Amino acid sequence: MGFETAKLVGKTHTVFLCGRTVEKLHNAVDGLKELGIDAEAYACDVSDRKTVEKLADYAEGKGKIKTVINAAGIASGTVKNIFAVNALGTVNVNEVFLERIQDYGCILNIASVSGYMMDENGTPYDIFRLALTDKEAFATEWLKWMAAVPVAYAAGTTYALAKKFVQWYTRRAAVKGGARNIRVVSISPGTFVTPMVTNSTEADRKQSEEFGKRNALKRLGDPVEIARMITFMVSDECSYLTGTDVLYDGGIVACLEQEK
């Protein structure tokens, strides 16, 4: 999704591709350059506030920051790591870049359809609110809450909860950015044909594909489809869109609601 989006956004922007391991980004940068896009790779771990600040410093040194697409995310691993990248990473990116992005700029956070699967009544909004005032307590209370979840469901639950947090936090960040006409939005993808799906175990891949095809369109999404939507959302053509999540799922949530 990120690469396809960079191909489109790169038509009007200089692009910085960021990841924890910069070497993994070189092929993507080379591919963008072949298309005539001014692109560069930069090492950044969104769970580490200091590296996000260094990224912002570097980007500012190259020119005005117009658009930030927070596409960092992991769905497997330890509860602590999934939380750190998806939830805490979103706070770090938004807080840092809300101070650096130019007026009338846009920050887009990538959430997930899984956030819509969380029980509204069981969502710990009291823990979410700690992200606004005390990040250490935010992490501590999150991990305490997750300790009650059976180990077999822990990774999936914390991923879904983190993505629900992204949707929630986006609305708060939008209010903060509004004074400078900075828009903050999120998008929740359904199941797309991405490495997260194709590189998973055969059982997980089959489960993802079967789930994806339960949507209204009966197919998985193509990354270029969501890239087009992301590019539109961050463009000036969407200048009145802020503080909201766009559910881009092929209708899976609608189908699941109908099944109830």
Side-chain angles (χ1 to χ4, degrees), residues 18-36:
C18 308
R20 286 177 293 181
T21 308
V22 72
E23 289 76 17
K24 293 182 179 180
L25 301 173
H26 287 163
N27 287 339
V29 169
D30 290 342
L32 293 173
K33 288 183 175 179
E34 289 176 2
L35 297 173

Side-chain angles (χ1 to χ4, degrees), residues 131-198:
L132 307 176
T133 58
D134 188 337
K135 295 177 188 61
E136 186 174 339
F138 175 50
T140 298
E141 294 304 316
W142 184 293
L143 297 178
K144 282 183 181 178
W145 192 89
M146 284 302 308
V149 177
V151 174
Y153 303 103
T157 299
T158 203
Y159 176 78
L161 186 63
K163 291 305 186 178
K164 191 170 187 67
F165 169 78
V166 172
Q167 297 161 356
W168 177 91
Y169 183 81
T170 292
R171 296 193 289 275
R172 273 67 190 171
V175 173
K176 184 177 180 180
R180 289 177 46 213
N181 285 289
I182 297 168
R183 298 186 300 108
V184 186
V185 293
S186 64
I187 188 167
S188 289
T191 308
F192 284 76
V193 184
T194 66
M196 186 179 289
V197 173
T198 58

Side-chain angles (χ1 to χ4, degrees), residues 195-241:
M196 186 179 289
V197 173
T198 58
N199 293 342
S200 60
T201 65
E202 183 176 353
D204 287 344
R205 183 175 67 253
K206 184 176 181 180
Q207 184 179 34
S208 295
E209 291 174 349
E210 289 177 350
F211 176 77
K213 291 178 182 178
R214 289 172 63 188
N215 66 26
L217 299 179
K218 307 305 178 189
R219 66 175 177 84
L220 275 63
D222 188 299
V224 73
E225 292 180 292
I226 195 166
R228 292 179 187 134
M229 177 56 80
I230 291 171
T231 303
F232 174 61
M233 289 172 67
V234 301
S235 74
D236 291 338
E237 294 181 15
C238 249
S239 57
Y240 204 58
L241 184 73

Side-chain angles (χ1 to χ4, degrees), residues 3 21-22 45 47 72 95 102 124 127 148 158 166 203 213 222 258:
F3 181 65
T21 308
V22 72
D45 178 357
S47 67
E95 284 191 347
Q102 70 181 71
I127 296 176
T158 203
V166 172
K213 291 178 182 178
D222 188 299
Q258 187 169 290

Side-chain angles (χ1 to χ4, degrees), residues 74-92:
I74 57 173
S76 60
T78 67
V79 165
K80 184 176 181 180
N81 287 342
I82 294 171
F83 161 79
V85 173
N86 294 291
L88 185 58
T90 293
V91 176
N92 288 337

Side-chain angles (χ1 to χ4, degrees), residues 16-22 25 40-46 55 72 97:
F16 293 92
L17 298 182
C18 308
R20 286 177 293 181
T21 308
V22 72
L25 301 173
E40 188 174 338
Y42 192 91
C44 178
D45 178 357
V46 297
L55 167 63
F97 280 97

